[in-house]
Amino acid sequence: MKLQVRELTDTRCSFVVDGTMPDIVNTLRRTLVSEVPKMAIDEVEFHMGPIRDEEGNEYDSNSALFDEMIAHRLGLVPIPTDLTQFTFKDRCECEGNGCPHCTIIYVLNKKGPCMVYSGDLQPLGDMSLAVKEQLIPIVKLKEKQALLIYATAVMGTGAQHAKWQPVTVCGYKYYPTVKLTGDCADPKRCVSSCPKKVFELDEGKVKVVDPERCDLCMNCVQACTDAEGVSLVTVEGSDKKFLFTFETDGSLKAKDALAHALEMLSNRYEEMREMFSGIEA
Amino acid sequence: MIIPVRCFTCGKVIGQLYEEYSARVQNGEDPAKVLDDLGVSRYCCRRMFLSHVELIDEVMPYT
């Protein structure tokens, strides 16, 4: 198996794997999407009734959005997750009571008129758990309106709810090979037939510039012909070589998510191997 | 009502980009260029901005 990394940033990763099979790559995709855990706000407690500030002004605990809508929006805010620091609540040593190893509590205390942002969520305790995307609008408050919220973030997986899905866009494609076998009769038509801009005009001739952009749509195979109508392009996708791309929502680094997914897969097969090793034929 | 936190289709977090987007478009910039600048590349995320109607200021007086 060969690996070439094409792009690696905090939130985006794309690489080419050679010498594997579609089912193996698909297993990795499914694990990334639905089984890598992350933290997300799961329980939101709203203060009901009047809220008073230090000067004795009274505010109404009300806003233009329903409370459940605000809770939903808070759930979708990415919470920075260190997978070595946190565990699932039901598997934690606190036996599901909630402790710093399985829950993060955030406080949101804002008085109108103002816009409430995700950055207004203050973690109780460790400030390194503060939300990274500070500018996500949550709700807008007018005069005499206030919000006092206690939000609890816990760990979960994408299989439970999309808010616990650290990897958002995730997919792979068969590695495309685009070959020109002759000089095309109508180069302009050939170049414009490709929606992904694989071809370019070079001194009146068609040139393949970036075959990796190809979607295997086969438009060029029909458009690029000689005078007799015989196709001069061959486009093939390999089922042994794949271009894999995924993005994270920012709660996990792309590299960490990938490492965790691969570790989960190998642990699972190791578990299966151990179960089989005890069986005698 | 208010800009969704994430893209409905792909799940990319887009809420934090809205204020810059709307300020720049109001200043007469081309929405397509602003979205390119902000790194919103897929059409599912771009429609979240283009089709959004900010209604919260209209609704707020009645709460």
Side-chain angles (χ1 to χ4, degrees), chain A residues 7-15 29 32-33 36 38 165-172 244-255 257-258, chain B residues 6-7 9-14 17 38-45:
Chain A
E7 191 188 351
L8 182 62
T9 64
D10 276 1
T11 57
R12 205 179 144 79
C13 174
S14 104
F15 56 88
R29 182 190 67 81
L32 274 171
V33 167
V36 178
K38 64 164 272 201
Q165 185 183 313
V167 172
T168 52
V169 178
C170 183
Y172 59 90
F244 197 102
T245 312
F246 71 93
E247 276 178 26
T248 73
D249 64 358
S251 50
L252 279 173
K253 282 194 174 132
K255 206 179 164 186
L258 187 62
Chain B
R6 292 179 185 235
C7 168
T9 305
C10 72
K12 182 187 163 80
V13 186
I14 49 150
L17 305 173
L38 294 172
V40 183
S41 54
R42 282 180 292 276
Y43 62 63
C44 61
C45 310

mmCIF file of all heavy atoms in Angstrom, chain A residues 7-15 29 32-33 36 38 165-172 244-255 257-258, chain B residues 6-7 9-14 17 38-45:
data_model
loop_
_atom_site.group_PDB
_atom_site.id
_atom_site.type_symbol
_atom_site.label_atom_id
_atom_site.label_comp_id
_atom_site.label_asym_id
_atom_site.label_seq_id
_atom_site.Cartn_x
_atom_site.Cartn_y
_atom_site.Cartn_z
ATOM 1 N N GLU A 7 -3.092 17.133 0.912
ATOM 2 C CA GLU A 7 -3.396 18.347 1.656
ATOM 3 C C GLU A 7 -3.632 17.951 3.110
ATOM 4 O O GLU A 7 -4.292 16.960 3.378
ATOM 5 C CB GLU A 7 -4.681 18.986 1.091
ATOM 6 C CG GLU A 7 -4.941 20.376 1.613
ATOM 7 C CD GLU A 7 -6.310 20.915 1.184
ATOM 8 O OE1 GLU A 7 -6.982 20.282 0.350
ATOM 9 O OE2 GLU A 7 -6.689 21.952 1.731
ATOM 10 N N LEU A 8 -3.033 18.701 4.032
ATOM 11 C CA LEU A 8 -3.291 18.420 5.441
ATOM 12 C C LEU A 8 -3.291 19.726 6.214
ATOM 13 O O LEU A 8 -2.258 20.356 6.392
ATOM 14 C CB LEU A 8 -2.246 17.451 6.011
ATOM 15 C CG LEU A 8 -2.451 17.051 7.467
ATOM 16 C CD1 LEU A 8 -3.763 16.319 7.667
ATOM 17 C CD2 LEU A 8 -1.322 16.171 7.965
ATOM 18 N N THR A 9 -4.477 20.157 6.637
ATOM 19 C CA THR A 9 -4.583 21.331 7.510
ATOM 20 C C THR A 9 -5.300 20.877 8.771
ATOM 21 O O THR A 9 -5.599 19.693 8.915
ATOM 22 C CB THR A 9 -5.369 22.463 6.829
ATOM 23 O OG1 THR A 9 -6.700 22.004 6.617
ATOM 24 C CG2 THR A 9 -4.750 22.877 5.511
ATOM 25 N N ASP A 10 -5.603 21.811 9.668
ATOM 26 C CA ASP A 10 -6.290 21.436 10.900
ATOM 27 C C ASP A 10 -7.654 20.831 10.627
ATOM 28 O O ASP A 10 -8.096 19.919 11.313
ATOM 29 C CB ASP A 10 -6.453 22.664 11.802
ATOM 30 C CG ASP A 10 -5.203 22.900 12.625
ATOM 31 O OD1 ASP A 10 -4.242 22.122 12.459
ATOM 32 O OD2 ASP A 10 -5.184 23.853 13.420
ATOM 33 N N THR A 11 -8.344 21.358 9.597
ATOM 34 C CA THR A 11 -9.716 20.902 9.384
ATOM 35 C C THR A 11 -9.905 20.112 8.095
ATOM 36 O O THR A 11 -10.999 19.637 7.839
ATOM 37 C CB THR A 11 -10.684 22.100 9.335
ATOM 38 O OG1 THR A 11 -10.251 22.970 8.301
ATOM 39 C CG2 THR A 11 -10.715 22.849 10.654
ATOM 40 N N ARG A 12 -8.880 19.976 7.292
ATOM 41 C CA ARG A 12 -9.068 19.327 5.994
ATOM 42 C C ARG A 12 -7.909 18.397 5.684
ATOM 43 O O ARG A 12 -6.766 18.718 5.976
ATOM 44 C CB ARG A 12 -9.152 20.401 4.909
ATOM 45 C CG ARG A 12 -9.891 19.964 3.691
ATOM 46 C CD ARG A 12 -9.950 21.094 2.685
ATOM 47 N NE ARG A 12 -9.840 20.540 1.354
ATOM 48 C CZ ARG A 12 -10.853 19.964 0.714
ATOM 49 N NH1 ARG A 12 -12.034 19.926 1.251
ATOM 50 N NH2 ARG A 12 -10.680 19.441 -0.474
ATOM 51 N N CYS A 13 -8.238 17.247 5.128
ATOM 52 C CA CYS A 13 -7.174 16.309 4.788
ATOM 53 C C CYS A 13 -7.553 15.608 3.498
ATOM 54 O O CYS A 13 -8.708 15.239 3.299
ATOM 55 C CB CYS A 13 -7.030 15.285 5.917
ATOM 56 S SG CYS A 13 -5.866 13.980 5.552
ATOM 57 N N SER A 14 -6.605 15.468 2.588
ATOM 58 C CA SER A 14 -6.873 14.670 1.401
ATOM 59 C C SER A 14 -5.613 13.898 1.040
ATOM 60 O O SER A 14 -4.506 14.413 1.155
ATOM 61 C CB SER A 14 -7.416 15.549 0.278
ATOM 62 O OG SER A 14 -6.459 15.792 -0.680
ATOM 63 N N PHE A 15 -5.806 12.633 0.689
ATOM 64 C CA PHE A 15 -4.644 11.793 0.384
ATOM 65 C C PHE A 15 -4.998 10.755 -0.674
ATOM 66 O O PHE A 15 -6.171 10.482 -0.927
ATOM 67 C CB PHE A 15 -4.101 11.125 1.653
ATOM 68 C CG PHE A 15 -5.107 10.308 2.406
ATOM 69 C CD1 PHE A 15 -5.322 8.972 2.104
ATOM 70 C CD2 PHE A 15 -5.848 10.885 3.449
ATOM 71 C CE1 PHE A 15 -6.250 8.232 2.804
ATOM 72 C CE2 PHE A 15 -6.781 10.131 4.144
ATOM 73 C CZ PHE A 15 -6.985 8.807 3.829
ATOM 74 N N ARG A 29 -14.122 5.328 5.833
ATOM 75 C CA ARG A 29 -15.076 6.439 5.719
ATOM 76 C C ARG A 29 -16.193 6.319 6.747
ATOM 77 O O ARG A 29 -16.504 7.268 7.458
ATOM 78 C CB ARG A 29 -15.673 6.474 4.304
ATOM 79 C CG ARG A 29 -16.640 7.608 4.072
ATOM 80 C CD ARG A 29 -17.370 7.446 2.753
ATOM 81 N NE ARG A 29 -18.264 6.294 2.776
ATOM 82 C CZ ARG A 29 -19.487 6.285 3.308
ATOM 83 N NH1 ARG A 29 -19.970 7.387 3.850
ATOM 84 N NH2 ARG A 29 -20.224 5.202 3.299
ATOM 85 N N LEU A 32 -14.927 7.040 10.272
ATOM 86 C CA LEU A 32 -14.698 8.469 10.469
ATOM 87 C C LEU A 32 -16.008 9.207 10.716
ATOM 88 O O LEU A 32 -16.113 10.042 11.609
ATOM 89 C CB LEU A 32 -14.021 9.069 9.239
ATOM 90 C CG LEU A 32 -12.502 9.007 9.159
ATOM 91 C CD1 LEU A 32 -12.041 9.440 7.783
ATOM 92 C CD2 LEU A 32 -11.870 9.880 10.211
ATOM 93 N N VAL A 33 -17.020 8.888 9.928
ATOM 94 C CA VAL A 33 -18.271 9.623 10.003
ATOM 95 C C VAL A 33 -19.062 9.264 11.252
ATOM 96 O O VAL A 33 -19.535 10.136 11.974
ATOM 97 C CB VAL A 33 -19.122 9.384 8.734
ATOM 98 C CG1 VAL A 33 -20.535 9.863 8.934
ATOM 99 C CG2 VAL A 33 -18.495 10.081 7.548
ATOM 100 N N VAL A 36 -16.085 8.053 15.299
ATOM 101 C CA VAL A 36 -15.104 8.855 16.044
ATOM 102 C C VAL A 36 -15.891 9.776 16.981
ATOM 103 O O VAL A 36 -16.765 10.500 16.533
ATOM 104 C CB VAL A 36 -14.222 9.680 15.083
ATOM 105 C CG1 VAL A 36 -13.243 10.543 15.856
ATOM 106 C CG2 VAL A 36 -13.479 8.766 14.131
ATOM 107 N N LYS A 38 -16.831 12.835 19.784
ATOM 108 C CA LYS A 38 -16.447 14.202 20.119
ATOM 109 C C LYS A 38 -17.393 14.728 21.194
ATOM 110 O O LYS A 38 -18.408 14.099 21.479
ATOM 111 C CB LYS A 38 -16.478 15.108 18.880
ATOM 112 C CG LYS A 38 -17.852 15.275 18.268
ATOM 113 C CD LYS A 38 -17.916 16.453 17.306
ATOM 114 C CE LYS A 38 -18.265 17.720 18.024
ATOM 115 N NZ LYS A 38 -18.808 18.774 17.157
ATOM 116 N N GLN A 165 -20.736 14.385 15.352
ATOM 117 C CA GLN A 165 -20.000 13.864 14.206
ATOM 118 C C GLN A 165 -18.843 14.824 13.907
ATOM 119 O O GLN A 165 -19.062 15.906 13.390
ATOM 120 C CB GLN A 165 -20.968 13.785 13.022
ATOM 121 C CG GLN A 165 -20.408 13.159 11.793
ATOM 122 C CD GLN A 165 -21.417 13.188 10.668
ATOM 123 O OE1 GLN A 165 -22.574 12.853 10.841
ATOM 124 N NE2 GLN A 165 -20.967 13.631 9.515
ATOM 125 N N PRO A 166 -17.607 14.453 14.267
ATOM 126 C CA PRO A 166 -16.494 15.393 14.096
ATOM 127 C C PRO A 166 -16.111 15.585 12.631
ATOM 128 O O PRO A 166 -15.609 16.631 12.251
ATOM 129 C CB PRO A 166 -15.351 14.745 14.867
ATOM 130 C CG PRO A 166 -15.659 13.303 14.894
ATOM 131 C CD PRO A 166 -17.150 13.179 14.862
ATOM 132 N N VAL A 167 -16.345 14.562 11.811
ATOM 133 C CA VAL A 167 -15.970 14.638 10.402
ATOM 134 C C VAL A 167 -17.217 14.968 9.589
ATOM 135 O O VAL A 167 -18.186 14.224 9.617
ATOM 136 C CB VAL A 167 -15.344 13.313 9.949
ATOM 137 C CG1 VAL A 167 -15.130 13.298 8.446
ATOM 138 C CG2 VAL A 167 -14.033 13.092 10.666
ATOM 139 N N THR A 168 -17.196 16.112 8.910
ATOM 140 C CA THR A 168 -18.397 16.523 8.195
ATOM 141 C C THR A 168 -18.409 15.975 6.778
ATOM 142 O O THR A 168 -19.137 15.048 6.485
ATOM 143 C CB THR A 168 -18.533 18.051 8.197
ATOM 144 O OG1 THR A 168 -17.326 18.624 7.735
ATOM 145 C CG2 THR A 168 -18.827 18.566 9.582
ATOM 146 N N VAL A 169 -17.605 16.537 5.905
ATOM 147 C CA VAL A 169 -17.569 16.057 4.523
ATOM 148 C C VAL A 169 -16.557 14.932 4.454
ATOM 149 O O VAL A 169 -15.433 15.093 4.906
ATOM 150 C CB VAL A 169 -17.138 17.187 3.584
ATOM 151 C CG1 VAL A 169 -17.060 16.679 2.169
ATOM 152 C CG2 VAL A 169 -18.086 18.339 3.695
ATOM 153 N N CYS A 170 -16.948 13.780 3.937
ATOM 154 C CA CYS A 170 -16.020 12.667 3.913
ATOM 155 C C CYS A 170 -16.338 11.772 2.730
ATOM 156 O O CYS A 170 -17.471 11.320 2.579
ATOM 157 C CB CYS A 170 -16.144 11.880 5.215
ATOM 158 S SG CYS A 170 -14.993 10.533 5.329
ATOM 159 N N GLY A 171 -15.372 11.539 1.876
ATOM 160 C CA GLY A 171 -15.634 10.676 0.733
ATOM 161 C C GLY A 171 -14.371 10.296 0.004
ATOM 162 O O GLY A 171 -13.291 10.793 0.286
ATOM 163 N N TYR A 172 -14.527 9.364 -0.949
ATOM 164 C CA TYR A 172 -13.382 8.958 -1.743
ATOM 165 C C TYR A 172 -13.842 8.764 -3.165
ATOM 166 O O TYR A 172 -15.036 8.610 -3.410
ATOM 167 C CB TYR A 172 -12.767 7.663 -1.206
ATOM 168 C CG TYR A 172 -13.715 6.499 -1.171
ATOM 169 C CD1 TYR A 172 -13.842 5.647 -2.263
ATOM 170 C CD2 TYR A 172 -14.531 6.268 -0.070
ATOM 171 C CE1 TYR A 172 -14.726 4.586 -2.247
ATOM 172 C CE2 TYR A 172 -15.424 5.222 -0.040
ATOM 173 C CZ TYR A 172 -15.509 4.376 -1.131
ATOM 174 O OH TYR A 172 -16.393 3.341 -1.120
ATOM 175 N N PHE A 244 -8.970 10.149 -1.320
ATOM 176 C CA PHE A 244 -9.819 10.231 -0.129
ATOM 177 C C PHE A 244 -9.749 11.652 0.422
ATOM 178 O O PHE A 244 -8.680 12.219 0.559
ATOM 179 C CB PHE A 244 -9.289 9.241 0.921
ATOM 180 C CG PHE A 244 -10.255 8.913 2.022
ATOM 181 C CD1 PHE A 244 -10.958 7.721 2.004
ATOM 182 C CD2 PHE A 244 -10.468 9.787 3.077
ATOM 183 C CE1 PHE A 244 -11.844 7.410 3.020
ATOM 184 C CE2 PHE A 244 -11.352 9.488 4.085
ATOM 185 C CZ PHE A 244 -12.043 8.282 4.065
ATOM 186 N N THR A 245 -10.908 12.247 0.703
ATOM 187 C CA THR A 245 -10.934 13.608 1.235
ATOM 188 C C THR A 245 -11.878 13.671 2.422
ATOM 189 O O THR A 245 -12.965 13.080 2.373
ATOM 190 C CB THR A 245 -11.471 14.599 0.176
ATOM 191 O OG1 THR A 245 -10.799 14.345 -1.043
ATOM 192 C CG2 THR A 245 -11.222 16.034 0.585
ATOM 193 N N PHE A 246 -11.494 14.364 3.468
ATOM 194 C CA PHE A 246 -12.465 14.625 4.536
ATOM 195 C C PHE A 246 -12.171 15.948 5.229
ATOM 196 O O PHE A 246 -11.082 16.474 5.156
ATOM 197 C CB PHE A 246 -12.542 13.465 5.533
ATOM 198 C CG PHE A 246 -11.336 13.309 6.424
ATOM 199 C CD1 PHE A 246 -11.295 13.915 7.660
ATOM 200 C CD2 PHE A 246 -10.265 12.535 6.022
ATOM 201 C CE1 PHE A 246 -10.188 13.762 8.492
ATOM 202 C CE2 PHE A 246 -9.154 12.384 6.839
ATOM 203 C CZ PHE A 246 -9.118 12.995 8.079
ATOM 204 N N GLU A 247 -13.213 16.482 5.870
ATOM 205 C CA GLU A 247 -13.084 17.736 6.606
ATOM 206 C C GLU A 247 -13.612 17.514 8.012
ATOM 207 O O GLU A 247 -14.526 16.731 8.215
ATOM 208 C CB GLU A 247 -13.951 18.822 5.949
ATOM 209 C CG GLU A 247 -13.282 19.496 4.793
ATOM 210 C CD GLU A 247 -14.179 20.530 4.143
ATOM 211 O OE1 GLU A 247 -15.076 21.078 4.816
ATOM 212 O OE2 GLU A 247 -13.969 20.767 2.947
ATOM 213 N N THR A 248 -13.066 18.225 8.989
ATOM 214 C CA THR A 248 -13.640 18.146 10.333
ATOM 215 C C THR A 248 -14.317 19.476 10.651
ATOM 216 O O THR A 248 -14.077 20.473 9.991
ATOM 217 C CB THR A 248 -12.585 17.848 11.415
ATOM 218 O OG1 THR A 248 -11.799 19.018 11.613
ATOM 219 C CG2 THR A 248 -11.698 16.699 11.037
ATOM 220 N N ASP A 249 -15.152 19.455 11.696
ATOM 221 C CA ASP A 249 -15.872 20.682 12.051
ATOM 222 C C ASP A 249 -15.027 21.589 12.943
ATOM 223 O O ASP A 249 -15.485 22.628 13.386
ATOM 224 C CB ASP A 249 -17.213 20.346 12.723
ATOM 225 C CG ASP A 249 -17.023 19.625 14.042
ATOM 226 O OD1 ASP A 249 -15.870 19.345 14.410
ATOM 227 O OD2 ASP A 249 -18.028 19.342 14.705
ATOM 228 N N GLY A 250 -13.798 21.209 13.244
ATOM 229 C CA GLY A 250 -12.921 22.044 14.046
ATOM 230 C C GLY A 250 -12.798 21.589 15.487
ATOM 231 O O GLY A 250 -11.949 22.077 16.223
ATOM 232 N N SER A 251 -13.638 20.634 15.919
ATOM 233 C CA SER A 251 -13.527 20.172 17.298
ATOM 234 C C SER A 251 -12.338 19.223 17.446
ATOM 235 O O SER A 251 -11.732 19.135 18.503
ATOM 236 C CB SER A 251 -14.819 19.501 17.749
ATOM 237 O OG SER A 251 -15.220 18.547 16.821
ATOM 238 N N LEU A 252 -12.010 18.521 16.377
ATOM 239 C CA LEU A 252 -10.845 17.641 16.359
ATOM 240 C C LEU A 252 -9.969 18.058 15.188
ATOM 241 O O LEU A 252 -10.479 18.522 14.172
ATOM 242 C CB LEU A 252 -11.275 16.199 16.107
ATOM 243 C CG LEU A 252 -11.800 15.358 17.248
ATOM 244 C CD1 LEU A 252 -12.304 14.049 16.684
ATOM 245 C CD2 LEU A 252 -10.728 15.092 18.255
ATOM 246 N N LYS A 253 -8.664 17.848 15.301
ATOM 247 C CA LYS A 253 -7.802 18.078 14.140
ATOM 248 C C LYS A 253 -7.978 16.908 13.181
ATOM 249 O O LYS A 253 -8.201 15.775 13.603
ATOM 250 C CB LYS A 253 -6.350 18.163 14.588
ATOM 251 C CG LYS A 253 -6.023 19.504 15.188
ATOM 252 C CD LYS A 253 -4.528 19.683 15.313
ATOM 253 C CE LYS A 253 -4.243 21.074 15.781
ATOM 254 N NZ LYS A 253 -3.308 21.134 16.871
ATOM 255 N N ALA A 254 -7.874 17.204 11.879
ATOM 256 C CA ALA A 254 -8.079 16.168 10.866
ATOM 257 C C ALA A 254 -7.170 14.968 11.125
ATOM 258 O O ALA A 254 -7.599 13.816 11.062
ATOM 259 C CB ALA A 254 -7.829 16.741 9.476
ATOM 260 N N LYS A 255 -5.912 15.242 11.477
ATOM 261 C CA LYS A 255 -4.955 14.159 11.686
ATOM 262 C C LYS A 255 -5.361 13.301 12.885
ATOM 263 O O LYS A 255 -5.271 12.071 12.840
ATOM 264 C CB LYS A 255 -3.573 14.766 11.910
ATOM 265 C CG LYS A 255 -2.458 13.847 11.525
ATOM 266 C CD LYS A 255 -1.123 14.512 11.737
ATOM 267 C CE LYS A 255 -0.035 13.465 11.720
ATOM 268 N NZ LYS A 255 1.264 14.035 12.067
ATOM 269 N N ALA A 257 -8.406 12.899 14.083
ATOM 270 C CA ALA A 257 -9.618 12.131 13.759
ATOM 271 C C ALA A 257 -9.245 10.880 12.977
ATOM 272 O O ALA A 257 -9.745 9.782 13.257
ATOM 273 C CB ALA A 257 -10.591 12.992 12.960
ATOM 274 N N LEU A 258 -8.355 11.038 12.003
ATOM 275 C CA LEU A 258 -7.932 9.904 11.178
ATOM 276 C C LEU A 258 -7.205 8.869 12.035
ATOM 277 O O LEU A 258 -7.490 7.666 11.951
ATOM 278 C CB LEU A 258 -7.030 10.404 10.043
ATOM 279 C CG LEU A 258 -6.632 9.395 8.999
ATOM 280 C CD1 LEU A 258 -7.864 8.867 8.283
ATOM 281 C CD2 LEU A 258 -5.676 9.994 7.998
ATOM 282 N N ARG B 6 -24.837 25.598 11.034
ATOM 283 C CA ARG B 6 -24.129 24.746 10.075
ATOM 284 C C ARG B 6 -24.868 24.663 8.765
ATOM 285 O O ARG B 6 -26.073 24.908 8.703
ATOM 286 C CB ARG B 6 -24.001 23.332 10.636
ATOM 287 C CG ARG B 6 -23.077 23.261 11.821
ATOM 288 C CD ARG B 6 -23.043 21.855 12.302
ATOM 289 N NE ARG B 6 -22.259 21.751 13.518
ATOM 290 C CZ ARG B 6 -21.230 20.926 13.656
ATOM 291 N NH1 ARG B 6 -20.868 20.160 12.663
ATOM 292 N NH2 ARG B 6 -20.581 20.874 14.786
ATOM 293 N N CYS B 7 -24.122 24.251 7.734
ATOM 294 C CA CYS B 7 -24.736 23.998 6.435
ATOM 295 C C CYS B 7 -25.671 22.793 6.581
ATOM 296 O O CYS B 7 -25.292 21.778 7.151
ATOM 297 C CB CYS B 7 -23.654 23.705 5.412
ATOM 298 S SG CYS B 7 -24.285 23.058 3.876
ATOM 299 N N THR B 9 -26.668 20.655 4.442
ATOM 300 C CA THR B 9 -26.297 19.473 3.676
ATOM 301 C C THR B 9 -25.011 18.825 4.166
ATOM 302 O O THR B 9 -24.988 17.639 4.458
ATOM 303 C CB THR B 9 -26.174 19.833 2.192
ATOM 304 O OG1 THR B 9 -27.390 20.422 1.784
ATOM 305 C CG2 THR B 9 -25.903 18.612 1.361
ATOM 306 N N CYS B 10 -23.924 19.599 4.265
ATOM 307 C CA CYS B 10 -22.637 18.961 4.559
ATOM 308 C C CYS B 10 -22.223 19.112 6.009
ATOM 309 O O CYS B 10 -21.328 18.415 6.470
ATOM 310 C CB CYS B 10 -21.551 19.492 3.635
ATOM 311 S SG CYS B 10 -21.045 21.169 3.986
ATOM 312 N N GLY B 11 -22.826 20.033 6.755
ATOM 313 C CA GLY B 11 -22.499 20.152 8.173
ATOM 314 C C GLY B 11 -21.339 21.083 8.483
ATOM 315 O O GLY B 11 -20.924 21.182 9.628
ATOM 316 N N LYS B 12 -20.815 21.761 7.467
ATOM 317 C CA LYS B 12 -19.728 22.717 7.722
ATOM 318 C C LYS B 12 -20.243 23.853 8.610
ATOM 319 O O LYS B 12 -21.359 24.340 8.415
ATOM 320 C CB LYS B 12 -19.230 23.274 6.387
ATOM 321 C CG LYS B 12 -18.060 24.236 6.497
ATOM 322 C CD LYS B 12 -17.785 24.841 5.113
ATOM 323 C CE LYS B 12 -16.934 26.076 5.183
ATOM 324 N NZ LYS B 12 -15.514 25.796 5.340
ATOM 325 N N VAL B 13 -19.439 24.279 9.573
ATOM 326 C CA VAL B 13 -19.840 25.372 10.458
ATOM 327 C C VAL B 13 -19.714 26.685 9.694
ATOM 328 O O VAL B 13 -18.628 27.048 9.255
ATOM 329 C CB VAL B 13 -18.964 25.394 11.730
ATOM 330 C CG1 VAL B 13 -19.466 26.439 12.705
ATOM 331 C CG2 VAL B 13 -18.944 24.035 12.379
ATOM 332 N N ILE B 14 -20.844 27.386 9.497
ATOM 333 C CA ILE B 14 -20.810 28.586 8.659
ATOM 334 C C ILE B 14 -21.293 29.828 9.397
ATOM 335 O O ILE B 14 -21.098 30.934 8.927
ATOM 336 C CB ILE B 14 -21.694 28.412 7.400
ATOM 337 C CG1 ILE B 14 -23.069 27.873 7.804
ATOM 338 C CG2 ILE B 14 -21.044 27.505 6.390
ATOM 339 C CD1 ILE B 14 -24.157 28.307 6.911
ATOM 340 N N LEU B 17 -19.295 33.095 9.825
ATOM 341 C CA LEU B 17 -18.888 33.871 8.653
ATOM 342 C C LEU B 17 -19.939 34.881 8.234
ATOM 343 O O LEU B 17 -19.675 35.770 7.435
ATOM 344 C CB LEU B 17 -18.615 32.919 7.460
ATOM 345 C CG LEU B 17 -17.606 31.801 7.702
ATOM 346 C CD1 LEU B 17 -17.587 30.857 6.517
ATOM 347 C CD2 LEU B 17 -16.219 32.372 7.925
ATOM 348 N N LEU B 38 -14.009 33.818 1.836
ATOM 349 C CA LEU B 38 -14.272 33.231 3.153
ATOM 350 C C LEU B 38 -14.027 31.719 3.155
ATOM 351 O O LEU B 38 -14.169 31.072 4.178
ATOM 352 C CB LEU B 38 -15.723 33.515 3.583
ATOM 353 C CG LEU B 38 -16.067 34.977 3.848
ATOM 354 C CD1 LEU B 38 -17.562 35.128 4.062
ATOM 355 C CD2 LEU B 38 -15.321 35.491 5.058
ATOM 356 N N GLY B 39 -13.713 31.175 1.983
ATOM 357 C CA GLY B 39 -13.434 29.741 1.919
ATOM 358 C C GLY B 39 -14.679 28.886 1.885
ATOM 359 O O GLY B 39 -14.648 27.722 2.263
ATOM 360 N N VAL B 40 -15.791 29.460 1.425
ATOM 361 C CA VAL B 40 -17.026 28.679 1.285
ATOM 362 C C VAL B 40 -17.055 28.175 -0.151
ATOM 363 O O VAL B 40 -17.438 28.890 -1.059
ATOM 364 C CB VAL B 40 -18.264 29.542 1.589
ATOM 365 C CG1 VAL B 40 -19.523 28.722 1.521
ATOM 366 C CG2 VAL B 40 -18.138 30.175 2.951
ATOM 367 N N SER B 41 -16.614 26.935 -0.374
ATOM 368 C CA SER B 41 -16.385 26.499 -1.741
ATOM 369 C C SER B 41 -17.524 25.669 -2.325
ATOM 370 O O SER B 41 -17.787 25.729 -3.514
ATOM 371 C CB SER B 41 -15.074 25.715 -1.827
ATOM 372 O OG SER B 41 -15.101 24.669 -0.886
ATOM 373 N N ARG B 42 -18.208 24.889 -1.489
ATOM 374 C CA ARG B 42 -19.255 24.012 -2.027
ATOM 375 C C ARG B 42 -20.564 24.764 -2.232
ATOM 376 O O ARG B 42 -20.875 25.681 -1.477
ATOM 377 C CB ARG B 42 -19.503 22.850 -1.065
ATOM 378 C CG ARG B 42 -18.465 21.774 -1.134
ATOM 379 C CD ARG B 42 -18.798 20.678 -0.161
ATOM 380 N NE ARG B 42 -18.673 21.123 1.202
ATOM 381 C CZ ARG B 42 -17.539 21.150 1.877
ATOM 382 N NH1 ARG B 42 -16.436 20.747 1.319
ATOM 383 N NH2 ARG B 42 -17.502 21.582 3.121
ATOM 384 N N TYR B 43 -21.362 24.324 -3.214
ATOM 385 C CA TYR B 43 -22.589 25.069 -3.473
ATOM 386 C C TYR B 43 -23.641 24.875 -2.390
ATOM 387 O O TYR B 43 -24.522 25.699 -2.218
ATOM 388 C CB TYR B 43 -23.121 24.876 -4.896
ATOM 389 C CG TYR B 43 -23.542 23.490 -5.348
ATOM 390 C CD1 TYR B 43 -24.577 22.818 -4.743
ATOM 391 C CD2 TYR B 43 -22.935 22.900 -6.449
ATOM 392 C CE1 TYR B 43 -24.976 21.577 -5.190
ATOM 393 C CE2 TYR B 43 -23.317 21.665 -6.910
ATOM 394 C CZ TYR B 43 -24.336 21.005 -6.274
ATOM 395 O OH TYR B 43 -24.731 19.788 -6.725
ATOM 396 N N CYS B 44 -23.538 23.777 -1.625
ATOM 397 C CA CYS B 44 -24.503 23.599 -0.530
ATOM 398 C C CYS B 44 -24.300 24.664 0.548
ATOM 399 O O CYS B 44 -25.261 25.204 1.095
ATOM 400 C CB CYS B 44 -24.391 22.197 0.065
ATOM 401 S SG CYS B 44 -22.795 21.785 0.770
ATOM 402 N N CYS B 45 -23.028 24.982 0.845
ATOM 403 C CA CYS B 45 -22.750 25.994 1.875
ATOM 404 C C CYS B 45 -23.027 27.394 1.338
ATOM 405 O O CYS B 45 -23.484 28.269 2.068
ATOM 406 C CB CYS B 45 -21.296 25.924 2.320
ATOM 407 S SG CYS B 45 -20.728 24.289 2.751
#
